[in-house]
Amino acid sequence: MGVNTLGHRIAELIGAEGPLSVAQFMSLCLYDPEGGAYAAGEPIGQHFITAPEISQAYGELAGLWVAQTWLDQGRPDRPRLMELGPGRGTLMADALRALKVVMPDFLDGAEIVLIESSPGLQRRQETALAGHDRVRWHKHFGDVPADRPLFLIANEFFDCLPVRQFVKTEKGWCERMVIVREGKLAFAVAPAAIDPSLLPPDRVEAPEGGFYEVSPASLALAAEIAATIAACGGGGLIIDYGYDGPGYGETLQAVAGHAYADVLVDPGKVDVSAHVDFVALTRAVRAGGAAAHGPVPQGRFLQALGMAARAERLIAANPGQADAIAAAIDRLVNPDKMGSLFRALGVAPKNAPPLPGF
Ligand code: SAH
């Protein structure tokens, strides 16, 4: 580890203050203002690619989902269209183009809000959305008042939010920590067990060596989103890779240059994330006072929204690109590719009609 690297600084921090939780370590890897992957790098494209970057049909269908949800709720006035972690702005640009065609009335009164922590990616989004009025940026969901019906999209956002990890040992559940061993960052299990009543009931019975992962930031945010939608109307669409639990594996992962990498070797130079626990997220949505729809596999969700027809139209308009378009759509819907690892979870007011696609 070079002396100026984030890894070196993290090692010094651990030397001075003691072991870090996996969540604290993940936060530094992603958000450290000088060396964090999002703050200082360009992870999308360089390390990984996301669904809206694979095909424009993805963001267009997200726009149609918003249009249909808004219609189903009686076209409420002054809607707010919000995206969490818009990356390069591709999904929102495609969604707005579709909305302009199918539902210009929605856009007439709408305010568009993007929640983005990375200044570099915000600049990218400004470029992608140049020409659209009433677009605003905030760093946190909580910075936006709950004063309008909320139509929210979050694609590959929750996987970024830090997770704590606990390991079942003979002493009970102990937190997994990051320490320094022989000059290198390493994982270790904290010596003292936590109070097992802190665990949800489905995690109490686990084999020794089993993991329990929890993302307190994700659960708090999901409950806040649910409370806003319950109070103001609207709908939320959360899509990410994840599992339906309980599951006793650990899912912390790093990618660099489109391949899996070591989480600990070069912090900030790799993208770290964790799979989303959709059972826990669903529980948090309900605790926030809204109804949860799904989760359903991404492939099924996209097909239900009319992906096949959208693909045909795209191919008809670009016959020279037919194979590439078909391959991109297949990547999104095929269960062996992104179609089943990725899941969609809907958030709606309790008495609202069913959300499209679920
Ligand atoms: N939704 C996009 C980008 C996914 S990458 C796509 O599908 O292509 C994750 C995005 O969330 C990036 O824009 C990143 O900068 C942003 N992000 C990650 N953690 C965040 C946080 N805690 N607060 C705000 N934005 C965050």
Side-chain angles (χ1 to χ4, degrees):
M1 280 187 289
V3 281
N4 292 320
T5 60
L6 179 59
H8 183 77
R9 282 195 284 123
I10 290 176
E12 292 209 312
L13 179 67
I14 292 171
E17 295 187 9
L20 296 177
S21 71
V22 169
Q24 289 169 317
F25 172 73
M26 212 174 151
S27 284
L28 290 167
C29 291
L30 292 174
Y31 308 124
D32 180 83
E34 276 155 46
Y38 280 111
E42 266 282 330
I44 307 164
Q46 191 193 340
H47 294 323
F48 61 89
I49 183 159
T50 57
E53 305 284 337
I54 291 171
S55 169
Q56 68 184 77
Y58 192 82
E60 290 166 351
L61 289 181
L64 299 185
W65 183 90
V66 169
Q68 188 65 49
T69 304
W70 182 71
L71 269 185
D72 290 345
Q73 291 192 15
R75 308 162 69 105
D77 280 345
R78 303 173 70 244
R80 175 175 289 132
L81 175 57
M82 181 187 282
E83 186 178 358
L84 306 182
R88 293 167 154 178
T90 310
L91 186 153
M92 186 55 86
D94 293 337
L96 290 176
R97 195 177 54 251
L99 278 164
K100 244 186 190 146
V101 176
V102 301
M103 203 63 62
D105 293 0
F106 172 87
L107 289 178
D108 279 347
E111 173 190 86
I112 297 153
V113 175
L114 304 182
I115 303 297
E116 176 56 65
S117 60
S118 152
L121 283 171
Q122 178 175 333
R123 279 194 296 278
R124 280 227 175 229
Q125 294 152 20
E126 284 165 359
T127 309
L129 299 175
H132 289 284
D133 306 331
R134 294 195 302 263
V135 187
R136 290 168 35 195
W137 278 264
H138 289 280
K139 289 207 171 0
H140 305 283
F141 178 83
D143 295 344
V144 184
D147 59 358
R148 288 176 177 233
L150 176 67
F151 295 83
L152 174 138
I153 299 171
N155 188 66
E156 285 208 39
F157 177 79
F158 281 87
D159 63 86
C160 300
L161 301 185
V163 293
R164 293 177 71 180
Q165 293 186 323
F166 299 90
V167 188
K168 182 80 177 283
T169 72
E170 56 191 8
K171 288 186 219 157
W173 287 98
C174 298
E175 184 151 14
R176 196 184 196 206
M177 311 296 286
V178 178
I179 62 163
V180 178
R181 191 184 288 135
E182 293 169 6
K184 293 195 176 113
L185 297 175
F187 288 114
V189 175
I194 59 158
D195 177 352
S197 71
L198 296 172
L199 295 174
D202 63 353
R203 306 300 168 123
V204 175
E205 293 307 321
E208 205 167 304
F211 278 83
Y212 164 55
E213 271 181 4
V214 59
S215 172
S218 296
L219 303 185
L221 177 59
E224 248 186 287
I225 292 168
T228 303
I229 288 174
C232 305
L237 177 59
I238 296 170
I239 304 186
D240 225 306
Y241 46 94
Y243 55 96
D244 285 348
Y248 299 119
E250 69 105 3
T251 74
L252 186 69
Q253 65 180 45
V255 293
H258 301 271
Y260 288 106
D262 193 309
V263 173
L264 298 177
V265 169
D266 208 353
K269 299 288 183 226
V270 300
D271 181 74
V272 288
S273 65
H275 286 222
V276 172
D277 178 347
F278 276 96
V279 169
L281 215 54
T282 301
R283 233 186 248 135
V285 165
R286 295 202 178 114
H293 297 244
V296 297
Q298 169 174 297
R300 215 172 87 199
F301 175 73
L302 294 175
Q303 298 291 24
L305 292 182
M307 182 56 113
R310 188 71 209 119
E312 266 172 37
R313 300 263 303 262
L314 279 176
I315 288 172
N318 311 274
Q321 302 275 308
D323 288 350
I325 294 169
I329 305 287
D330 181 65
R331 193 166 165 192
L332 296 177
V333 301
N334 189 328
D336 295 330
K337 296 176 181 162
M338 294 169 78
S340 100
L341 172 62
F342 284 74
R343 280 136 217 260
L345 175 67
V347 183
K350 276 184 186 154
N351 54 359
L355 291 171
F358 289 95

